[in-house]
Coordinates of all heavy atoms in Angstrom, one line a residue:
M1 N 76.7 345.8 49.6 CA 77.3 346.2 48.3 C 77.2 347.8 48.5 O 76.2 348.3 48.8 CB 76.5 345.9 47.2 CG 77.0 346.3 45.9 SD 75.9 345.9 44.5 CE 77.2 345.1 43.4
T2 N 78.5 348.4 48.3 CA 78.6 349.8 48.3 C 78.4 350.4 46.9 O 78.3 349.7 45.8 CB 79.9 350.2 48.8 OG1 80.9 349.8 47.8 CG2 80.2 349.7 50.1
R3 N 78.4 351.7 46.9 CA 78.1 352.4 45.7 C 79.1 352.1 44.6 O 78.9 352.0 43.3 CB 78.1 353.9 45.8 CG 77.7 354.8 44.5 CD 77.5 356.2 45.1 NE 78.8 356.7 45.6 CZ 79.0 357.9 45.8 NH1 78.1 358.9 45.5 NH2 80.2 358.4 46.4
T4 N 80.4 351.8 44.9 CA 81.5 351.5 44.2 C 81.8 350.1 43.9 O 82.6 349.7 43.2 CB 82.9 352.2 44.6 OG1 83.1 351.7 45.8 CG2 82.7 353.8 44.6
D5 N 81.1 349.3 44.6 CA 81.3 347.8 44.5 C 80.3 347.1 43.5 O 79.3 346.6 43.9 CB 81.1 347.1 45.9 CG 81.5 345.7 45.8 OD1 82.1 345.2 44.9 OD2 80.9 345.0 46.7
V6 N 80.6 347.3 42.2 CA 79.7 346.9 41.3 C 80.4 345.9 40.2 O 81.6 346.0 40.2 CB 79.1 348.0 40.4 CG1 78.2 349.0 41.2 CG2 80.2 348.7 39.7
D7 N 79.5 345.0 39.7 CA 80.2 343.9 38.7 C 80.5 344.8 37.5 O 79.6 345.6 37.0 CB 79.1 343.0 38.5 CG 79.0 341.9 39.7 OD1 79.9 341.9 40.4 OD2 77.8 341.4 39.8
T8 N 81.7 344.5 36.9 CA 82.1 345.1 35.6 C 82.5 344.0 34.6 O 83.0 343.0 35.1 CB 83.1 346.1 35.8 OG1 84.3 345.5 36.5 CG2 82.7 347.3 36.6
D9 N 82.3 344.3 33.4 CA 82.7 343.3 32.4 C 83.5 344.1 31.3 O 82.8 344.8 30.5 CB 81.5 342.5 31.8 CG 81.9 341.6 30.8 OD1 83.0 341.0 30.8 OD2 80.9 341.2 30.0
V10 N 84.8 344.0 31.3 CA 85.5 344.7 30.3 C 85.9 343.8 29.2 O 86.6 342.8 29.4 CB 86.9 345.3 31.1 CG1 87.6 346.1 30.1 CG2 86.5 346.0 32.2
P11 N 85.6 344.2 28.0 CA 86.0 343.4 26.9 C 87.7 343.3 26.8 O 88.3 344.2 27.2 CB 85.5 344.2 25.6 CG 84.5 345.0 26.1 CD 84.8 345.4 27.6
A12 N 88.1 342.1 26.4 CA 89.5 341.9 26.3 C 90.3 342.8 25.6 O 91.4 343.3 25.9 CB 89.7 340.4 25.8
D13 N 89.7 343.4 24.4 CA 90.6 344.4 23.7 C 90.3 345.8 24.1 O 90.8 346.7 23.4 CB 90.2 344.1 22.1 CG 88.8 344.3 22.0 OD1 87.9 344.2 22.9 OD2 88.4 344.6 20.8
A14 N 89.6 346.2 25.1 CA 89.2 347.5 25.5 C 90.3 348.0 26.5 O 90.8 347.3 27.2 CB 87.8 347.5 26.2
E15 N 90.5 349.4 26.3 CA 91.4 350.0 27.2 C 90.8 350.3 28.5 O 89.6 350.8 28.4 CB 92.0 351.3 26.5 CG 93.1 351.9 27.5 CD 93.4 353.3 26.8 OE1 92.9 353.7 25.8 OE2 94.2 354.1 27.5
A16 N 91.3 349.9 29.6 CA 90.7 350.2 30.9 C 91.7 351.0 31.8 O 92.8 350.7 31.8 CB 90.2 349.0 31.6
H17 N 91.1 352.0 32.5 CA 91.9 352.7 33.5 C 91.4 352.1 34.9 O 90.3 352.3 35.3 CB 91.7 354.3 33.5 CG 91.8 354.8 32.1 ND1 93.0 355.2 31.8 CD2 91.0 355.0 31.1 CE1 93.0 355.7 30.5 NE2 91.8 355.6 30.1
V18 N 92.4 351.4 35.5 CA 92.0 350.6 36.7 C 92.4 351.2 38.0 O 93.6 351.8 38.0 CB 92.7 349.2 36.6 CG1 92.4 348.4 37.9 CG2 92.3 348.3 35.3
C19 N 91.5 351.4 38.9 CA 91.7 352.1 40.2 C 92.9 351.2 40.9 O 92.7 350.0 41.2 CB 90.6 352.1 41.0 SG 90.7 352.8 42.7
S20 N 93.9 351.9 41.4 CA 94.9 351.2 42.1 C 94.7 350.7 43.5 O 95.2 350.0 44.1 CB 96.3 352.0 42.2 OG 96.1 353.2 42.7
Y21 N 93.4 351.3 44.1 CA 93.0 351.1 45.5 C 92.1 349.9 45.5 O 92.0 349.2 46.4 CB 92.4 352.3 46.1 CG 93.4 353.5 46.1 CD1 93.2 354.5 45.2 CD2 94.4 353.6 47.1 CE1 94.1 355.6 45.2 CE2 95.2 354.5 47.0 CZ 95.1 355.6 46.1 OH 96.0 356.7 46.1
C22 N 91.1 349.8 44.6 CA 90.1 348.8 44.7 C 90.1 347.9 43.3 O 89.3 346.9 43.5 CB 88.8 349.4 44.9 SG 88.1 350.3 43.7
G23 N 90.7 348.1 42.3 CA 90.8 347.4 41.2 C 89.6 347.6 40.2 O 89.5 346.9 39.1
R24 N 88.7 348.5 40.5 CA 87.6 348.8 39.5 C 88.1 349.5 38.2 O 88.8 350.4 38.4 CB 86.5 349.6 40.2 CG 85.3 349.8 39.4 CD 84.3 350.7 40.2 NE 83.3 351.1 39.3 CZ 82.2 351.8 39.6 NH1 82.0 352.2 40.8 NH2 81.3 352.1 38.7
P25 N 87.6 348.9 37.1 CA 88.1 349.5 35.8 C 87.1 350.6 35.4 O 85.8 350.6 35.8 CB 87.9 348.3 34.9 CG 86.9 347.5 35.4 CD 87.0 347.6 36.9
F26 N 87.7 351.6 34.7 CA 86.9 352.7 34.1 C 87.3 353.0 32.7 O 88.4 352.7 32.2 CB 87.2 354.0 34.9 CG 86.7 354.0 36.4 CD1 87.5 353.4 37.3 CD2 85.3 354.3 36.6 CE1 86.9 353.3 38.7 CE2 84.9 354.2 37.8 CZ 85.7 353.8 38.9
A27 N 86.2 353.3 31.8 CA 86.5 353.6 30.4 C 87.4 354.7 30.2 O 88.1 354.9 29.2 CB 85.1 353.6 29.7
R28 N 87.2 355.8 31.0 CA 87.9 357.1 30.8 C 88.7 357.4 32.0 O 88.3 357.2 33.1 CB 87.0 358.1 30.4 CG 86.2 357.8 29.3 CD 85.4 359.0 28.7 NE 84.5 358.8 27.6 CZ 83.6 359.4 27.2 NH1 83.2 360.4 27.7 NH2 83.0 359.0 25.9
E29 N 89.8 358.1 31.7 CA 90.8 358.5 32.9 C 90.0 359.4 33.7 O 90.2 359.4 35.0 CB 91.9 359.2 32.2 CG 92.9 359.9 33.2 CD 94.0 359.2 33.5 OE1 94.6 358.4 32.7 OE2 94.3 359.2 34.8
K30 N 89.2 360.4 33.2 CA 88.5 361.3 34.0 C 87.6 360.6 35.0 O 87.4 361.1 36.3 CB 87.6 362.2 33.1 CG 86.8 363.3 33.8 CD 86.2 364.2 32.9 CE 85.4 365.2 33.6 NZ 84.5 366.0 32.7
Y31 N 87.0 359.6 34.6 CA 86.1 358.8 35.5 C 86.8 358.2 36.6 O 86.4 358.1 37.8 CB 85.3 357.6 34.8 CG 84.4 358.1 33.7 CD1 84.1 357.3 32.6 CD2 84.0 359.4 33.6 CE1 83.2 357.7 31.5 CE2 83.2 359.9 32.5 CZ 82.9 358.9 31.6 OH 82.0 359.4 30.5
L32 N 88.1 357.7 36.3 CA 88.9 357.0 37.4 C 89.3 358.1 38.3 O 89.3 357.9 39.7 CB 90.1 356.5 36.8 CG 91.2 356.0 37.7 CD1 90.7 354.9 38.7 CD2 92.4 355.4 37.0
V33 N 89.7 359.4 37.9 CA 90.1 360.5 38.8 C 89.0 360.9 39.7 O 89.1 361.0 40.9 CB 90.5 361.7 37.9 CG1 90.7 362.9 38.8 CG2 91.8 361.3 37.2
L34 N 87.7 360.9 39.1 CA 86.6 361.3 40.0 C 86.3 360.2 40.9 O 86.0 360.5 42.1 CB 85.3 361.5 39.0 CG 85.4 362.9 38.3 CD1 84.4 362.9 37.3 CD2 85.2 364.1 39.2
H35 N 86.4 358.9 40.5 CA 86.2 357.8 41.5 C 87.1 357.8 42.6 O 86.7 357.7 43.8 CB 86.3 356.4 40.7 CG 86.6 355.2 41.5 ND1 85.6 354.7 42.2 CD2 87.7 354.7 41.9 CE1 86.0 353.6 42.9 NE2 87.3 353.6 42.7
R36 N 88.6 358.0 42.4 CA 89.5 358.1 43.5 C 89.1 359.1 44.5 O 89.2 358.9 45.6 CB 90.9 358.3 42.9 CG 91.6 357.0 42.2 CD 93.0 357.3 42.2 NE 93.3 358.4 41.3 CZ 93.9 358.4 40.1 NH1 94.5 357.3 39.8 NH2 94.1 359.5 39.4
G37 N 88.6 360.3 43.9 CA 88.3 361.3 44.9 C 87.1 361.0 45.7 O 87.0 361.4 47.0
L38 N 86.1 360.3 45.2 CA 84.9 360.0 45.9 C 84.9 358.8 46.8 O 84.4 358.9 47.8 CB 83.7 359.9 44.9 CG 83.3 361.1 44.0 CD1 82.4 360.8 43.1 CD2 82.8 362.1 45.1
A39 N 85.5 357.7 46.3 CA 85.6 356.5 46.9 C 86.9 356.4 47.8 O 86.7 355.5 48.8 CB 85.7 355.3 46.0
H40 N 88.0 357.0 47.6 CA 89.1 356.8 48.4 C 89.6 358.1 48.8 O 90.8 358.4 48.6 CB 90.2 356.0 47.6 CG 89.7 354.8 46.9 ND1 89.3 353.7 47.6 CD2 89.4 354.6 45.6 CE1 88.8 352.9 46.6 NE2 88.8 353.4 45.4
P41 N 88.9 359.0 49.4 CA 89.3 360.3 49.8 C 90.5 360.2 50.8 O 91.3 361.3 50.8 CB 88.1 361.0 50.3 CG 87.2 359.8 50.7 CD 87.4 358.9 49.9
D42 N 90.5 359.3 51.7 CA 91.5 359.2 52.7 C 92.8 358.7 52.3 O 93.8 358.7 53.0 CB 91.0 358.5 54.0 CG 89.7 359.2 54.6 OD1 89.6 360.4 54.4 OD2 88.9 358.4 55.1
D43 N 92.8 358.0 51.0 CA 94.0 357.3 50.7 C 94.8 358.0 49.5 O 95.8 357.6 49.3 CB 93.5 355.9 50.0 CG 92.7 355.1 51.1 OD1 93.1 355.2 52.2 OD2 91.9 354.3 50.7
V44 N 94.1 358.9 48.8 CA 94.6 359.5 47.6 C 95.9 360.4 48.0 O 96.0 361.0 49.0 CB 93.6 360.3 46.8 CG1 92.6 359.3 46.3 CG2 93.1 361.5 47.6
S45 N 96.8 360.5 47.0 CA 97.9 361.4 47.2 C 97.6 362.8 46.9 O 96.5 363.1 46.4 CB 99.1 361.0 46.2 OG 98.8 361.3 45.0
D46 N 98.4 363.8 47.2 CA 98.1 365.1 47.0 C 98.0 365.5 45.6 O 97.0 366.3 45.1 CB 99.2 366.1 47.4 CG 99.2 366.1 49.1 OD1 98.3 365.8 49.6 OD2 100.4 366.6 49.5
G47 N 98.7 364.9 44.6 CA 98.6 365.1 43.3 C 97.2 364.6 42.7 O 96.4 365.1 41.9
E48 N 96.8 363.3 43.3 CA 95.5 362.7 42.8 C 94.4 363.5 43.5 O 93.3 363.7 42.8 CB 95.4 361.3 43.4 CG 96.3 360.4 42.8 CD 96.4 358.9 43.4 OE1 96.1 358.8 44.6 OE2 96.8 357.9 42.8
R49 N 94.6 364.1 44.6 CA 93.6 365.0 45.1 C 93.4 366.3 44.3 O 92.2 366.7 44.1 CB 93.8 365.3 46.7 CG 92.7 366.2 47.2 CD 93.0 366.5 48.7 NE 93.5 365.4 49.5 CZ 92.6 364.4 50.0 NH1 91.4 364.5 49.8 NH2 93.3 363.4 50.7
D50 N 94.5 366.8 43.8 CA 94.4 368.0 43.0 C 93.7 367.6 41.7 O 92.9 368.5 41.3 CB 95.9 368.6 42.7 CG 96.4 369.3 43.9 OD1 95.6 369.5 44.8 OD2 97.7 369.4 43.9
A51 N 94.0 366.6 41.0 CA 93.4 366.1 39.9 C 92.0 365.9 40.1 O 91.1 366.3 39.2 CB 94.1 364.8 39.3
Y52 N 91.5 365.3 41.2 CA 90.1 365.1 41.5 C 89.3 366.5 41.7 O 88.4 366.6 41.0 CB 90.0 364.3 42.8 CG 88.6 364.5 43.4 CD1 87.5 363.8 42.8 CD2 88.3 365.1 44.5 CE1 86.2 363.9 43.3 CE2 87.1 365.3 45.1 CZ 86.0 364.5 44.4 OH 84.8 364.8 44.9
E53 N 90.0 367.5 42.3 CA 89.3 368.7 42.4 C 89.2 369.4 41.1 O 88.1 370.1 40.9 CB 90.2 369.6 43.5 CG 90.0 369.0 44.9 CD 90.8 369.7 46.0 OE1 91.7 370.6 45.5 OE2 90.7 369.4 47.1
R54 N 90.2 369.3 40.2 CA 90.1 370.0 38.9 C 88.9 369.2 38.1 O 88.2 369.9 37.6 CB 91.5 369.8 38.1 CG 92.5 371.0 38.4 CD 93.6 371.1 37.3 NE 94.2 369.7 37.1 CZ 95.2 369.1 37.9 NH1 95.6 370.0 38.9 NH2 95.7 368.0 37.7
A55 N 89.0 367.9 38.2 CA 88.0 367.2 37.4 C 86.6 367.5 38.0 O 85.5 367.7 37.2 CB 88.2 365.7 37.4
Y56 N 86.4 367.6 39.3 CA 85.2 367.8 39.9 C 84.7 369.3 39.4 O 83.5 369.5 39.2 CB 85.3 367.9 41.5 CG 84.0 367.9 42.2 CD1 83.0 366.9 42.4 CD2 83.5 369.3 42.6 CE1 82.1 367.1 43.2 CE2 82.4 369.4 43.2 CZ 81.6 368.3 43.6 OH 80.6 368.4 44.3
A57 N 85.7 370.2 39.5 CA 85.1 371.7 39.1 C 84.9 371.6 37.6 O 83.7 372.3 37.2 CB 86.4 372.6 39.3
E58 N 85.5 370.9 36.8 CA 85.1 370.8 35.4 C 83.8 370.1 35.3 O 82.8 370.7 34.4 CB 86.1 370.0 34.5 CG 87.5 370.6 34.1 CD 88.4 369.7 33.5 OE1 88.0 368.6 33.0 OE2 89.6 370.0 33.6
E59 N 83.5 369.0 36.0 CA 82.2 368.3 35.9 C 81.0 369.3 36.4 O 80.0 369.4 35.8 CB 82.2 367.2 36.9 CG 81.1 366.1 36.7 CD 81.3 365.3 35.5 OE1 82.4 365.4 34.7 OE2 80.6 364.4 35.3
Q60 N 81.4 370.1 37.5 CA 80.4 371.1 38.0 C 80.1 372.2 37.0 O 78.9 372.5 36.8 CB 80.9 371.7 39.3 CG 79.7 372.4 40.1 CD 78.7 371.4 40.5 OE1 78.9 370.4 41.0 NE2 77.5 371.8 40.2
A61 N 81.1 372.6 36.3 CA 80.8 373.6 35.3 C 80.0 373.1 34.1 O 79.0 373.7 33.5 CB 82.2 374.1 34.6
D62 N 80.2 371.7 33.7 CA 79.4 371.2 32.6 C 77.9 371.0 33.2 O 77.1 371.2 32.3 CB 80.0 369.7 32.3 CG 81.3 369.7 31.5 OD1 81.5 370.8 31.0 OD2 82.0 368.8 31.4
I63 N 77.8 370.6 34.3 CA 76.5 370.4 34.9 C 75.7 371.8 34.9 O 74.5 371.8 34.6 CB 76.5 369.9 36.3 CG1 76.8 368.4 36.3 CG2 75.1 370.0 37.0 CD1 77.3 367.7 37.5
D64 N 76.3 372.9 35.2 CA 75.8 374.2 35.4 C 75.4 374.7 33.9 O 74.3 375.2 33.8 CB 76.9 375.3 35.9 CG 77.0 375.0 37.4 OD1 76.3 374.4 38.0 OD2 77.9 375.6 37.9
R65 N 76.3 374.4 32.9 CA 76.0 374.7 31.5 C 74.9 374.0 31.0 O 73.8 374.5 30.5 CB 77.3 374.4 30.7 CG 77.3 375.2 29.3 CD 78.6 374.9 28.7 NE 79.8 375.2 29.5 CZ 80.8 374.3 29.9 NH1 80.7 372.9 29.5 NH2 81.7 374.7 30.7
F66 N 74.7 372.7 31.4 CA 73.6 371.9 31.0 C 72.3 372.3 31.6 O 71.2 372.4 30.8 CB 73.7 370.4 31.4 CG 72.6 369.6 31.2 CD1 72.1 369.1 30.1 CD2 71.6 369.4 32.3 CE1 70.9 368.4 30.0 CE2 70.5 368.6 32.2 CZ 70.1 368.2 31.0
R67 N 72.3 372.7 32.8 CA 71.1 373.4 33.5 C 70.6 374.5 32.8 O 69.4 374.8 32.7 CB 71.3 373.6 35.0 CG 71.5 372.4 35.8 CD 71.8 372.8 37.3 NE 71.9 371.6 38.1 CZ 72.5 371.6 39.2 NH1 73.2 372.6 39.6 NH2 72.4 370.5 40.0
I68 N 71.5 375.5 32.4 CA 71.1 376.6 31.7 C 70.6 376.3 30.3 O 69.5 376.9 30.0 CB 72.3 377.6 31.6 CG1 72.6 378.2 32.9 CG2 72.1 378.8 30.6 CD1 74.0 378.9 33.0
V69 N 71.2 375.4 29.6 CA 70.6 375.1 28.2 C 69.3 374.3 28.4 O 68.3 374.7 27.7 CB 71.6 374.1 27.5 CG1 71.0 373.5 26.3 CG2 72.9 375.0 27.2
A70 N 69.1 373.5 29.4 CA 67.9 372.8 29.7 C 66.8 373.7 30.0 O 65.6 373.6 29.5 CB 68.0 371.8 30.8
L71 N 67.1 374.8 30.9 CA 66.1 375.8 31.3 C 65.8 376.6 29.9 O 64.5 376.7 29.7 CB 66.6 376.8 32.2 CG 65.8 377.9 32.6 CD1 64.5 377.4 33.2 CD2 66.6 378.8 33.6
G72 N 66.6 376.9 29.0 CA 66.5 377.6 27.9 C 65.5 376.9 27.0 O 64.6 377.4 26.3
V73 N 65.7 375.7 26.8 CA 64.9 374.7 25.9 C 63.5 374.7 26.6 O 62.5 374.7 25.7 CB 65.5 373.4 25.9 CG1 64.6 372.3 25.3 CG2 66.8 373.4 25.0
L74 N 63.3 374.6 28.0 CA 62.0 374.5 28.5 C 61.3 375.8 28.3 O 60.0 375.8 28.0 CB 62.1 374.2 30.0 CG 62.4 372.8 30.3 CD1 62.6 372.6 31.8 CD2 61.3 371.9 29.8
V75 N 62.0 376.9 28.4 CA 61.4 378.2 28.1 C 60.8 378.4 26.7 O 59.8 378.8 26.4 CB 62.3 379.4 28.5 CG1 61.9 380.7 28.1 CG2 62.6 379.5 29.9
V76 N 61.7 378.0 25.8 CA 61.4 378.0 24.3 C 60.0 377.1 24.0 O 59.2 377.6 23.3 CB 62.5 377.7 23.5 CG1 62.1 377.4 22.1 CG2 63.6 378.7 23.4
I77 N 60.2 375.8 24.6 CA 59.0 375.0 24.5 C 57.7 375.6 25.0 O 56.5 375.6 24.4 CB 59.2 373.6 25.1 CG1 60.4 372.9 24.1 CG2 58.0 372.7 25.1 CD1 60.9 371.6 24.8
Y78 N 57.8 376.1 26.3 CA 56.7 376.7 26.9 C 56.0 377.9 26.1 O 54.9 377.8 25.8 CB 57.1 377.2 28.4 CG 55.9 378.0 29.1 CD1 54.9 377.2 29.6 CD2 55.9 379.3 29.0 CE1 54.0 377.9 30.4 CE2 54.9 380.0 29.6 CZ 53.9 379.3 30.3 OH 53.1 380.0 31.0
F79 N 56.9 378.8 25.7 CA 56.4 380.0 25.0 C 55.9 379.6 23.6 O 55.1 380.1 23.0 CB 57.3 381.0 25.0 CG 57.4 381.9 26.2 CD1 58.3 381.7 27.2 CD2 56.3 382.8 26.5 CE1 58.3 382.4 28.4 CE2 56.3 383.4 27.7 CZ 57.3 383.3 28.7
G80 N 56.6 378.5 23.0 CA 56.1 378.0 21.7 C 54.8 377.5 21.7 O 53.8 377.8 21.0
F81 N 54.5 376.8 22.8 CA 53.1 376.2 22.9 C 52.0 377.3 23.2 O 51.0 377.3 22.7 CB 53.1 375.1 24.1 CG 53.5 373.7 23.5 CD1 54.5 373.1 24.0 CD2 52.6 373.2 22.5 CE1 54.9 371.8 23.5 CE2 53.0 371.9 22.0 CZ 54.2 371.2 22.5
L82 N 52.6 378.3 24.1 CA 51.7 379.4 24.5 C 51.3 380.3 23.3 O 50.1 380.4 23.0 CB 52.4 380.3 25.5 CG 51.6 381.5 26.0 CD1 50.4 381.0 26.8 CD2 52.5 382.3 26.7
F83 N 52.2 380.5 22.4 CA 51.9 381.3 21.2 C 51.1 380.5 20.2 O 50.2 381.1 19.5 CB 53.3 381.8 20.6 CG 53.9 383.0 21.4 CD1 55.3 382.9 21.8 CD2 53.2 384.0 21.7 CE1 55.7 384.0 22.3 CE2 53.7 385.1 22.5 CZ 55.0 385.0 22.8
A84 N 51.5 379.2 20.0 CA 50.7 378.3 19.2 C 49.2 378.3 19.6 O 48.3 378.4 18.8 CB 51.3 376.9 19.1
Y85 N 49.0 378.3 21.0 CA 47.7 378.1 21.4 C 47.0 379.5 21.1 O 45.8 379.5 20.8 CB 47.7 377.9 22.9 CG 46.3 377.9 23.6 CD1 45.5 377.0 23.4 CD2 46.0 379.1 24.4 CE1 44.2 377.0 24.0 CE2 44.8 379.2 25.0 CZ 43.8 378.0 24.9 OH 42.7 378.2 25.4
A86 N 47.7 380.6 21.4 CA 47.1 381.9 21.2 C 46.8 382.1 19.7 O 45.7 382.9 19.3 CB 48.1 383.0 21.6
V87 N 47.5 381.6 18.8 CA 47.3 381.8 17.3 C 46.2 380.8 16.8 O 45.3 381.2 16.2 CB 48.6 381.7 16.5 CG1 48.3 381.6 15.0 CG2 49.5 382.7 16.9
F88 N 46.3 379.6 17.2 CA 45.5 378.5 16.5 C 44.2 378.2 17.2 O 43.3 377.7 16.7 CB 46.3 377.3 16.3 CG 47.5 377.4 15.4 CD1 48.8 377.3 15.8 CD2 47.3 377.8 14.1 CE1 49.9 377.6 15.0 CE2 48.3 378.1 13.2 CZ 49.6 377.9 13.7
A89 N 44.2 378.6 18.6 CA 43.1 378.2 19.3 C 42.0 379.3 19.4 O 41.0 379.1 20.1 CB 43.3 377.7 20.7
A90 N 42.3 380.5 19.0 CA 41.5 381.7 19.2 C 40.3 381.5 18.2 O 40.4 381.0 17.1 CB 42.3 382.9 19.0
Ligands
LIG101 ZN1 88.7 352.5 43.7

């Protein structure tokens, strides 16, 4: 079983974006675009490859943004506990 060979169960009334290469359904168009680029890199057309590269860059920007926000939250929690300790434990 490969990373993309997974069992799926799509409700009959749900909209699905189906991969034309392997038939795997996706809930969102963006997921299908990313899947095509990752699972079928040698088969995709130039347009599909461009769409994949755009979606990949957007995904990477979202991940970078999340890392910065997560680091900020950790810093606030750390100094929050540090100051709480300095004030209440003294
Ligand atoms: Zn596929």
Side-chain angles (χ1 to χ4, degrees):
M1 181 182 232
T2 65
R3 187 174 60 166
T4 59
D5 184 21
V6 295
D7 289 333
T8 54
D9 185 21
V10 181
D13 59 339
E15 181 188 359
H17 303 276
V18 179
C19 177
S20 57
Y21 300 104
C22 66
R24 183 175 171 185
F26 293 89
R28 296 187 182 166
E29 171 93 38
K30 182 180 179 184
Y31 300 160
L32 171 60
V33 170
L34 289 168
H35 161 78
R36 276 195 304 240
L38 290 170
H40 313 290
D42 300 329
D43 302 326
V44 293
S45 67
D46 289 344
E48 289 171 341
R49 184 179 314 280
D50 289 346
Y52 164 71
E53 288 171 357
R54 273 195 308 276
Y56 185 89
E58 285 176 20
E59 192 83 354
Q60 195 61 49
D62 288 346
I63 291 170
D64 290 346
R65 202 171 306 117
F66 171 78
R67 285 177 177 158
I68 291 170
V69 170
L71 178 62
V73 169
L74 285 175
V75 167
V76 167
I77 290 172
Y78 175 82
F79 281 102
F81 277 116
L82 182 67
F83 287 128
Y85 177 76
V87 170
F88 298 114

